[in-house]
Amino acid sequence: MRAFLLVGLLLAPAAGAQAPGKWPPDSLVNTQVIPHGTSMTQVVGTMRNFSFDLDVRCTYCHVGEDDTPLAQVDFASDEKRNKLVARQMMLMVQEVNRRLDTIPQPGTPEVAVTCATCHRGVVRPVPLATIISETAIAAGSDSAIRTYHALREEYHGRDAYDFGEISLNTAAFRAARAGKIEEALALLQVNEEQFPGSTALHISRGNIYLMRGDTTAAAESFREALRRDSTHGEARGRLRAIGREP
């Protein structure tokens, strides 16, 4: 059974802290975000949601081994940074939802933010383009491509990452802007394998060639975009700007 992420939960009676050894605990102390009088059933349900939203186990925030029985996990300890961060994230979510309540929403369903709103089943809630561009810039295209394929294998079809065309196009552009032109072009090659009929990819490739100063290759990319979409305004504009009228 999946262990639950119990953020801010201290296993102790009201009179003071006790060593781990009882599950569920008799009461809560040191609950800095969750109201102290919250029922154990509600607390465990809330923390179960946290666990699923980040795809982690209790010991991501609490002291203990992954396979440790819950009764032996030291929920009282504030030793791990992740627990302290989680408290701040809980406060942030509460504040966001308070502000959402002040926004007029006539005729629309109410909106509420949860951990899943950003995390979507991963610990670090950043777009795929950010992960791939950071990897390409820091470690090169081979590492970035391996990372992309690994994430696609694990997460494709889930909410965690957008594996649509725009992600690798964006990652390539960011890498090129950081001076990693060859890495950027390698990322576009991978994207072309996924989306062989794309027009936008050739626009991205043309713009990256322009960053390299290769107007001949850029012009060919923009012309290819026009062959796929004769109405594409950016492709026509780029060709005019470099003196290669379509």
Short mmCIF file of all heavy atoms in Angstrom, two decimals, residues 118-143:
data_model
loop_
_atom_site.label_atom_id
_atom_site.label_comp_id
_atom_site.label_asym_id
_atom_site.label_seq_id
_atom_site.Cartn_x
_atom_site.Cartn_y
_atom_site.Cartn_z
N CYS A 118 -0.40 22.42 -9.90
CA CYS A 118 0.93 22.65 -10.45
C CYS A 118 1.74 21.36 -10.58
O CYS A 118 2.40 21.14 -11.59
CB CYS A 118 1.70 23.64 -9.58
SG CYS A 118 1.03 25.31 -9.56
N HIS A 119 1.71 20.52 -9.55
CA HIS A 119 2.61 19.36 -9.53
C HIS A 119 2.20 18.27 -10.51
O HIS A 119 3.07 17.64 -11.13
CB HIS A 119 2.69 18.80 -8.11
CG HIS A 119 3.55 19.61 -7.21
ND1 HIS A 119 4.91 19.41 -7.11
CD2 HIS A 119 3.26 20.64 -6.38
CE1 HIS A 119 5.42 20.27 -6.25
NE2 HIS A 119 4.45 21.04 -5.79
N ARG A 120 0.93 17.97 -10.61
CA ARG A 120 0.43 17.00 -11.59
C ARG A 120 1.20 15.68 -11.57
O ARG A 120 1.52 15.08 -12.60
CB ARG A 120 0.46 17.59 -13.00
CG ARG A 120 -0.40 18.84 -13.15
CD ARG A 120 -0.24 19.47 -14.52
NE ARG A 120 -1.00 20.70 -14.62
CZ ARG A 120 -2.26 20.78 -15.08
NH1 ARG A 120 -2.89 19.68 -15.47
NH2 ARG A 120 -2.88 21.94 -15.15
N GLY A 121 1.53 15.23 -10.37
CA GLY A 121 2.17 13.93 -10.23
C GLY A 121 3.68 13.94 -10.29
O GLY A 121 4.31 12.88 -10.39
N VAL A 122 4.32 15.12 -10.19
CA VAL A 122 5.78 15.20 -10.15
C VAL A 122 6.20 16.15 -9.03
O VAL A 122 5.45 17.04 -8.64
CB VAL A 122 6.37 15.68 -11.49
CG1 VAL A 122 6.14 14.65 -12.59
CG2 VAL A 122 5.81 17.03 -11.90
N VAL A 123 7.40 15.93 -8.54
CA VAL A 123 7.88 16.72 -7.40
C VAL A 123 8.20 18.15 -7.82
O VAL A 123 7.84 19.12 -7.14
CB VAL A 123 9.12 16.05 -6.77
CG1 VAL A 123 9.79 16.99 -5.79
CG2 VAL A 123 8.71 14.75 -6.08
N ARG A 124 8.89 18.31 -8.95
CA ARG A 124 9.29 19.64 -9.41
C ARG A 124 8.32 20.10 -10.49
O ARG A 124 8.36 19.62 -11.62
CB ARG A 124 10.72 19.60 -9.97
CG ARG A 124 11.26 20.98 -10.35
CD ARG A 124 12.66 20.89 -10.90
NE ARG A 124 13.15 22.21 -11.27
CZ ARG A 124 13.83 22.48 -12.38
NH1 ARG A 124 14.12 21.52 -13.24
NH2 ARG A 124 14.23 23.71 -12.64
N PRO A 125 7.45 21.05 -10.17
CA PRO A 125 6.39 21.42 -11.11
C PRO A 125 6.82 22.44 -12.14
O PRO A 125 6.47 23.62 -12.09
CB PRO A 125 5.31 22.00 -10.18
CG PRO A 125 6.10 22.62 -9.07
CD PRO A 125 7.31 21.75 -8.87
N VAL A 126 7.62 21.98 -13.10
CA VAL A 126 8.06 22.87 -14.18
C VAL A 126 7.69 22.24 -15.52
O VAL A 126 7.58 21.02 -15.63
CB VAL A 126 9.58 23.14 -14.12
CG1 VAL A 126 9.95 23.84 -12.83
CG2 VAL A 126 10.36 21.85 -14.27
N PRO A 127 7.52 23.04 -16.56
CA PRO A 127 7.17 22.49 -17.88
C PRO A 127 8.28 21.63 -18.45
O PRO A 127 9.46 21.79 -18.13
CB PRO A 127 6.95 23.75 -18.73
CG PRO A 127 6.69 24.86 -17.76
CD PRO A 127 7.51 24.52 -16.55
N LEU A 128 7.91 20.75 -19.34
CA LEU A 128 8.88 19.89 -20.02
C LEU A 128 9.94 20.71 -20.73
O LEU A 128 11.12 20.36 -20.72
CB LEU A 128 8.14 18.98 -21.01
CG LEU A 128 9.01 18.01 -21.81
CD1 LEU A 128 9.67 16.99 -20.91
CD2 LEU A 128 8.16 17.32 -22.88
N ALA A 129 9.52 21.80 -21.37
CA ALA A 129 10.48 22.64 -22.10
C ALA A 129 11.59 23.15 -21.19
O ALA A 129 12.76 23.25 -21.61
CB ALA A 129 9.76 23.82 -22.75
N THR A 130 11.26 23.45 -19.95
CA THR A 130 12.27 23.95 -19.01
C THR A 130 13.27 22.85 -18.67
O THR A 130 14.49 23.08 -18.67
CB THR A 130 11.59 24.45 -17.72
OG1 THR A 130 10.71 25.52 -18.05
CG2 THR A 130 12.61 24.92 -16.71
N ILE A 131 12.78 21.66 -18.40
CA ILE A 131 13.68 20.55 -18.06
C ILE A 131 14.61 20.24 -19.22
O ILE A 131 15.83 20.09 -19.03
CB ILE A 131 12.86 19.30 -17.69
CG1 ILE A 131 12.06 19.55 -16.41
CG2 ILE A 131 13.77 18.09 -17.52
CD1 ILE A 131 11.11 18.43 -16.07
N ILE A 132 14.08 20.17 -20.42
CA ILE A 132 14.89 19.78 -21.57
C ILE A 132 15.89 20.88 -21.93
O ILE A 132 17.06 20.60 -22.24
CB ILE A 132 14.00 19.44 -22.77
CG1 ILE A 132 13.05 18.29 -22.41
CG2 ILE A 132 14.86 19.07 -23.97
CD1 ILE A 132 13.72 17.04 -21.91
N SER A 133 15.47 22.13 -21.90
CA SER A 133 16.40 23.21 -22.23
C SER A 133 17.51 23.32 -21.19
O SER A 133 18.68 23.51 -21.54
CB SER A 133 15.66 24.55 -22.38
OG SER A 133 15.03 24.93 -21.18
N GLU A 134 17.16 23.19 -19.91
CA GLU A 134 18.19 23.23 -18.87
C GLU A 134 19.20 22.11 -19.05
O GLU A 134 20.41 22.33 -18.90
CB GLU A 134 17.53 23.10 -17.49
CG GLU A 134 16.76 24.33 -17.03
CD GLU A 134 16.08 24.11 -15.69
OE1 GLU A 134 15.99 22.96 -15.22
OE2 GLU A 134 15.64 25.12 -15.10
N THR A 135 18.71 20.93 -19.39
CA THR A 135 19.61 19.79 -19.57
C THR A 135 20.49 19.99 -20.80
O THR A 135 21.70 19.71 -20.77
CB THR A 135 18.81 18.49 -19.70
OG1 THR A 135 17.94 18.34 -18.58
CG2 THR A 135 19.73 17.28 -19.77
N ALA A 136 19.91 20.48 -21.88
CA ALA A 136 20.69 20.71 -23.10
C ALA A 136 21.79 21.74 -22.86
O ALA A 136 22.93 21.57 -23.33
CB ALA A 136 19.77 21.17 -24.22
N ILE A 137 21.47 22.78 -22.15
CA ILE A 137 22.44 23.85 -21.89
C ILE A 137 23.55 23.36 -20.97
O ILE A 137 24.73 23.64 -21.17
CB ILE A 137 21.74 25.08 -21.30
CG1 ILE A 137 20.82 25.71 -22.35
CG2 ILE A 137 22.75 26.11 -20.79
CD1 ILE A 137 19.84 26.72 -21.79
N ALA A 138 23.18 22.59 -19.94
CA ALA A 138 24.15 22.17 -18.94
C ALA A 138 24.94 20.94 -19.36
O ALA A 138 26.13 20.82 -19.03
CB ALA A 138 23.44 21.88 -17.62
N ALA A 139 24.30 20.00 -20.08
CA ALA A 139 24.94 18.71 -20.31
C ALA A 139 24.96 18.27 -21.76
O ALA A 139 25.48 17.19 -22.06
CB ALA A 139 24.24 17.64 -19.46
N GLY A 140 24.39 19.05 -22.66
CA GLY A 140 24.44 18.71 -24.07
C GLY A 140 23.19 18.02 -24.58
O GLY A 140 22.32 17.61 -23.81
N SER A 141 23.13 17.90 -25.90
CA SER A 141 21.91 17.39 -26.53
C SER A 141 21.68 15.92 -26.24
O SER A 141 20.53 15.48 -26.11
CB SER A 141 21.97 17.63 -28.04
OG SER A 141 23.09 16.99 -28.62
N ASP A 142 22.73 15.12 -26.15
CA ASP A 142 22.53 13.69 -25.89
C ASP A 142 21.82 13.47 -24.55
O ASP A 142 20.87 12.68 -24.47
CB ASP A 142 23.86 12.95 -25.88
CG ASP A 142 24.45 12.80 -27.28
OD1 ASP A 142 23.73 13.05 -28.27
OD2 ASP A 142 25.65 12.46 -27.38
N SER A 143 22.25 14.19 -23.54
CA SER A 143 21.61 14.07 -22.22
C SER A 143 20.18 14.59 -22.27
O SER A 143 19.27 14.00 -21.68
CB SER A 143 22.41 14.85 -21.16
OG SER A 143 23.65 14.22 -20.91
#
